[in-house]
Amino acid sequence: MRFVQAERFDDWRETARELLCAEVPPAEVHWSAESDSLLFADELAPAAPKTIHVPPQFVALAKDVAFHRDSRRWEILYRLLWRLTHGERQLLEISTDDDVHAATQMQKAVKRDEHKMHAFVRFRRVLEGENESYVAWHRPDHLIVRLAAPFFARRFSAMQWSILTPDESVHWDGHELRYSPGVPATMAPQQDALDELWRTYYAHIFNPARVNVAQMKKEMPVRHWATLPEAQLIPELIAQAESRVRTMIDTREGFATSAQQFIPAQYDLSSLAAAAHNCTACDLHCHATQTVFGRGPATARIVLVGEQPGNQEDQQGQPFVGPAGQLLEETLTQAGLQRSELYLTNVVKHFKFILRGKRRLHQKPGSREIAACQPWLAAELKVLQPELLVCLGSTAAQAIFGRGFRLTSDRGKLITTQFAPRTLATWHPAAILRMTNEIRQQEMREQLVRDLTISAAMLA
């Protein structure tokens, strides 16, 4: 067994070249990334030099993987190098290979971490006499300081700055980058006047209508919040999001038009449907074939509300006539309900889609479209005065209950709303059809039938 060590890519490349020239197979090499962990690291005997050819993409891959924190990175790279030079020239094209997969995942993690460092470093001003400099603290997941530093040198070339991390720090004096050992967070300034600027900026760009906490935490990991001044505002902004959205809707903030201006002064379902065909309150009418208004008897005691018409509904002008409509009809029958006795409608009356070749694929409507279309649904429910309102899917549920409603936790609960004495939310048939896990799909279908059965029993 040969014991070797490498701290950076150049170390590994030099050692790997020597090992390869000596024909030392990967199984006979133990790599260490710690500079002081191998007191008796082997001195390699000189071997006859030889030319080594590898695909260019391997060099790029290896340079990125070298910044990963995993101590196995050197042995994985050497194993790939060995195989590429011993008869597996096309190895990198086999994405399912264990070594290729591991190296590729490491490369992706490093690139993500580099992006986070570019985005989340927050400098604080430091004055020492008349000298001004800027210091930031950051905690990357991987050893990426030397990878990310050139970006800051280009972007803040006129400043003198330092970025401190637990592993390594980097300093820019306006001419060159210097590196020094890592330091604890307490070595960095804790706050300055720039913090308030960050908070003011974030509060202005925060869009309460597009809050998705899970996605936000994915893009802005919580572990970085401690060094982001604007992160202090996040809990408060999230808590206020729903009321801010309602205020925006009430005051028409950001909305040029809404369906309200197309609704007749006196109306019934027929006049509403006729008026809706001329609605241009949002841009969806530009691409949809036609308005798909609600259908059903004016005496219906139960109203079902979905998200928006699909491709077939858009072509036929009727709600729930596509695959999701067929599944809904099957589940209604199982629950003992007759479709002809129900009123079916959607929150949004035009089909929103994206083109994939000749196919029109469903696209979820945004807050702008939902808010613009909401007066139609409110008018329908005002005429119908349903005894029971069933929301199919999260979009319909949040349009009725508010954006804080969570279908996964609140599905099937009977709640009084301004629109009906009994309102509940359940799965949209389209969501069941899209579920790829067959066991889960069957479970969701049974839950839909159960919720519809409860709905039928309430009116028996």
Side-chain angles (χ1 to χ4, degrees):
M1 179 66 71
R2 307 288 183 91
F3 292 89
V4 295
Q5 61 188 33
E7 187 175 359
R8 308 192 192 288
F9 173 75
D10 289 342
D11 304 332
W12 173 85
R13 179 170 57 182
E14 181 179 351
T15 305
R17 182 183 290 119
E18 293 175 359
L19 290 167
L20 207 59
C21 291
E23 285 295 317
V24 181
E28 296 180 9
V29 182
H30 175 82
W31 290 90
S32 172
E34 301 297 332
S35 59
D36 59 352
S37 64
L38 293 178
L39 297 178
F40 305 102
D42 290 347
E43 290 289 338
L44 297 175
K50 64 179 182 181
T51 303
I52 299 172
H53 295 287
V54 295
Q57 59 265 43
F58 173 71
V59 178
L61 175 69
K63 285 183 176 179
D64 287 338
V65 171
F67 292 106
H68 201 280
R69 190 179 292 278
D70 195 322
S71 60
R72 298 173 304 148
R73 62 191 185 279
W74 302 130
E75 64 182 65
I76 292 172
L77 289 177
Y78 185 61
R79 204 158 46 235
L80 284 171
L81 177 63
W82 177 270
R83 295 172 64 187
L84 285 167
T85 55
H86 287 76
E88 297 184 69
R89 183 72 181 173
Q90 308 303 319
L91 175 60
L92 296 184
E93 298 178 7
I94 307 173
S95 59
T96 54
D97 179 89
D98 288 346
D99 289 335
V100 174
H101 177 74
T104 304
Q105 292 303 306
M106 287 183 180
Q107 182 185 40
K108 290 180 178 177
V110 165
K111 301 307 286 186
R112 281 197 300 272
D113 205 28
E114 181 191 16
H115 173 73
K116 300 297 184 192
M117 185 168 176
H118 290 166
F120 297 148
V121 161
R122 298 285 184 268
F123 288 106
R124 291 187 166 106
R125 188 173 179 231
V126 175
L127 278 175
E128 294 181 355
E130 295 183 353
N131 293 328
E132 178 186 72
S133 63
Y134 293 84
V135 179
W137 163 263
H138 185 69
R139 189 180 63 182
D141 291 335
H142 301 288
L143 310 171
I144 59 164
V145 170
R146 295 181 187 237
L147 176 64
F151 165 83
F152 295 99
R154 292 191 301 271
R155 188 161 190 177
F156 304 109
S157 60
M159 294 167 40
Q160 293 187 25
W161 51 259
S162 296
I163 300 175
L164 314 179
T165 84
D167 303 299
E168 188 176 31
S169 301
V170 58
H171 314 273
W172 173 254
D173 59 5
H175 302 286
E176 64 177 350
L177 292 167
R178 292 184 299 103
Y179 297 91
S180 64
V183 297
T186 53
M187 297 291 289
Q190 300 305 304
Q191 61 181 355
D192 72 354
L194 295 177
D195 289 4
E196 192 56 36
L197 290 178
W198 275 110
R199 284 190 283 271
T200 301
Y201 169 73
Y202 189 75
H204 279 82
I205 65 169
F206 183 85
N207 186 347
R210 303 185 66 179
V211 170
N212 183 328
V213 177
Q215 185 65 27
M216 180 174 65
K217 289 182 177 179
K218 182 179 178 181
E219 297 298 326
M220 185 189 288
V222 174
R223 63 181 178 277
H224 293 301
W225 287 18
T227 57
L228 299 176
E230 66 270 32
Q232 299 173 11
L233 300 177
I234 292 176
E236 181 182 355
L237 292 173
I238 292 175
Q240 296 174 348
E242 184 171 346
S243 62
R244 286 187 60 192
V245 169
R246 291 198 177 280
T247 300
M248 290 167 66
I249 293 172
D250 291 343
T251 60
R252 318 314 309 163
E253 179 182 342
F255 299 90
T257 57
S258 85
Q260 189 63 49
Q261 66 190 81
F262 298 90
I263 294 178
Q266 301 293 326
Y267 56 79
D268 56 15
L269 289 177
S270 297
S271 59
L272 282 174
H277 283 281
N278 298 316
C279 183
T280 58
C282 71
D283 291 339
L284 294 186
H285 77 280
C286 299
H287 307 289
T289 304
Q290 58 189 308
T291 301
V292 181
F293 207 73
R295 289 292 183 94
T299 56
R301 300 169 64 194
I302 300 177
V303 173
L304 274 63
V305 184
E307 179 190 86
Q308 66 165 349
N311 184 52
Q312 294 193 32
E313 286 82 0
D314 174 72
Q315 295 173 359
Q316 299 182 39
Q318 297 184 42
F320 292 99
V321 293
Q326 294 173 16
L327 176 57
L328 177 63
E329 192 145 345
E330 292 173 12
T331 53
L332 286 173
T333 302
Q334 288 180 265
L337 291 167
Q338 297 294 320
R339 175 170 175 153
S340 60
E341 297 176 351
L342 310 175
Y343 187 87
L344 276 62
T345 188
N346 286 296
V347 173
V348 173
K349 310 302 185 191
H350 283 110
F351 179 35
K352 184 176 183 179
F353 58 90
I354 54 174
L355 283 174
R356 288 286 185 271
K358 294 183 179 179
R359 299 178 62 197
R360 302 193 302 171
L361 302 182
H362 165 275
Q363 190 174 26
K364 186 174 181 177
S367 301
R368 166 73 181 89
E369 290 100 7
I370 293 172
C373 211
Q374 198 165 30
W376 292 121
L377 177 61
E380 287 176 289
L381 296 176
K382 184 177 180 180
V383 172
L384 290 160
Q385 298 285 311
E387 296 177 42
L388 179 65
L389 178 60
V390 179
C391 303
L392 300 172
S394 59
T395 298
Q398 291 185 356
I400 297 298
F401 293 109
R403 293 179 58 83
F405 188 89
R406 293 292 176 265
L407 194 58
T408 49
S409 57
D410 299 322
R411 180 196 57 78
K413 296 179 181 177
L414 285 166
I415 302 171
T416 299
T417 64
Q418 61 177 310
F419 303 107
R422 299 182 184 91
T423 304
L424 68 80
T426 186
W427 301 116
H428 194 293
I432 298 175
L433 293 175
R434 286 195 295 266
M435 176 55 62
T436 55
N437 184 308
E438 293 184 4
I439 297 175
R440 180 57 180 150
Q441 185 183 58
Q442 181 60 30
E443 183 182 52
M444 291 171 68
R445 176 173 176 143
E446 291 172 356
Q447 290 173 339
L448 173 58
V449 172
R450 192 182 313 145
D451 292 338
L452 293 174
T453 302
I454 293 174
S455 304
M458 293 296 299
L459 300 182

